Amino acid sequence: MDTLFYIAAKIAWFLIRPDSVILLLLVLGLWLLARGRQRWGMRLAGAGAGLLVLLALLPLGGLLLRPLEAAYPPDPSVTEVAGIIVLGGAEVDDVSAHWGQPNVNEAGDRFLAGIALADRFPDAIVAFAGGSAYLAGPVVEADLAGAIFTSAGVDPSRLRLEGRSRNTAENAVNALGVLGAEAQGTWLLVTSAYHMPRAVETFCAAGWTGLVPWPVDHRTRGAGRALGWNLAENLRDLNTGVKEWIGRIGYRVTGRGVSPDTAPGCLAQP
């Protein structure tokens, strides 16, 4: 069932992601124009082109990302920490496999925070959850994470690496299974700020307790950013925001995510 959900989610997202919709409008519009359907061809192609221009000028993705990133404050106050768990997604597995060394993407702040927290709390366990975002990736994310942490000076005896999960729901369940009794106490949950609400709800649904959200990799900016021309970044942020909201709803509907308010003890008390 988990594999079926994983495949269905991948297919659905490919079809409804904003850049796919825009491309579909352009392709259908041009196809209709080529067949002499001028009215509908112009409408669809014009809609696709208009959306591209609008996205290039306006950071619309920020409207979706901002409430997600504001859900949990950065650098919360903590004292005693049993463990730190970093979620996968910052690794570039195919590039890492090609060059034979770990490579990270724009979410690399997850590793920076994990390394810094490992140094700040030297007695804490350092866990990582992530296998491959594909059915058969070239490398396992957990292997890359282990190499990154050990190269930064983290004692291998502190590491707990979970390398079978393919999404956030499996991160939560599989990591809890790997840690067992070690999952007790206060645990810092490290992931991108936009992803934190869904991650928290998923970990709560999986039965985690004592979590402290530690959001990093913020994408939104202050109000000073006005009109500009940045299609690539704006489209990326819109894709990310739409994916998170849809994923959050999908997880709630399928029971893979619950509100922390309905899971007593999931979040550590301040």
Side-chain angles (χ1 to χ4, degrees):
M1 183 61 69
D2 287 339
T3 297
L4 181 61
F5 176 83
Y6 170 80
I7 295 174
K10 289 292 183 182
I11 294 174
W13 172 239
F14 175 77
L15 296 174
I16 65 176
R17 54 185 293 164
D19 52 4
S20 293
V21 173
I22 293 173
L23 179 61
L24 180 61
L25 289 173
L26 290 171
V27 170
L28 283 177
L30 294 175
W31 181 76
L32 289 173
L33 286 173
R35 295 181 61 86
R37 306 284 295 276
Q38 299 294 321
R39 177 179 297 181
W40 280 102
M42 289 296 294
R43 286 178 177 177
L44 293 178
L51 286 173
L52 282 177
V53 172
L54 183 65
L55 285 173
L57 292 173
L58 298 175
L60 299 179
L63 298 177
L64 297 175
L65 292 177
R66 190 173 300 278
L68 295 173
E69 294 193 335
Y72 297 99
D75 302 318
S77 177
V78 289
T79 52
E80 296 183 5
V81 173
I84 304 150
I85 181 164
V86 179
L87 299 191
E91 313 77 22
V92 187
D93 55 358
D94 52 352
V95 176
S96 300
H98 179 74
W99 292 104
Q101 66 178 24
N103 282 261
V104 298
N105 55 31
E106 64 272 14
D109 288 356
R110 301 184 189 189
F111 283 114
L112 294 178
I115 293 167
L117 290 170
D119 182 65
R120 179 176 171 184
F121 302 103
D123 295 327
I125 296 169
V126 180
F128 176 88
S132 175
Y134 309 96
L135 288 174
V139 293
V140 177
E141 292 176 351
D143 294 338
L144 297 176
I148 291 172
F149 283 126
T150 54
S151 67
V154 178
D155 189 336
S157 66
R158 299 174 61 190
L159 295 178
R160 306 291 185 272
L161 305 176
E162 183 283 307
R164 295 187 299 111
S165 57
R166 298 163 296 186
N167 53 36
T168 309
E170 293 181 5
N171 286 162
V173 173
N174 293 342
L176 190 60
V178 168
L179 289 164
E182 291 183 317
Q184 301 300 314
T186 300
W187 274 77
L188 307 183
L189 177 60
V190 180
T191 190
S192 298
Y194 68 81
H195 181 56
M196 187 60 78
R198 180 156 63 109
V200 167
E201 293 178 0
T202 304
F203 272 64
C204 288
W208 280 77
T209 58
L211 291 175
V212 175
W214 196 278
V216 296
D217 178 35
H218 294 77
R219 305 293 176 88
T220 57
R221 299 171 173 83
R225 184 182 179 187
L227 293 176
W229 187 269
N230 198 337
L231 176 60
E233 183 175 335
N234 290 348
L235 187 55
R236 180 204 67 184
D237 287 348
L238 181 61
N239 279 334
T240 300
V242 171
K243 181 180 181 181
E244 278 306 308
W245 281 106
I246 291 177
R248 193 177 180 189
I249 294 171
Y251 273 27
R252 286 279 190 98
V253 170
T254 59
R256 290 171 170 82
V258 298
S259 170
D261 296 333
T262 64
C266 178
L267 296 182
Q269 295 300 315

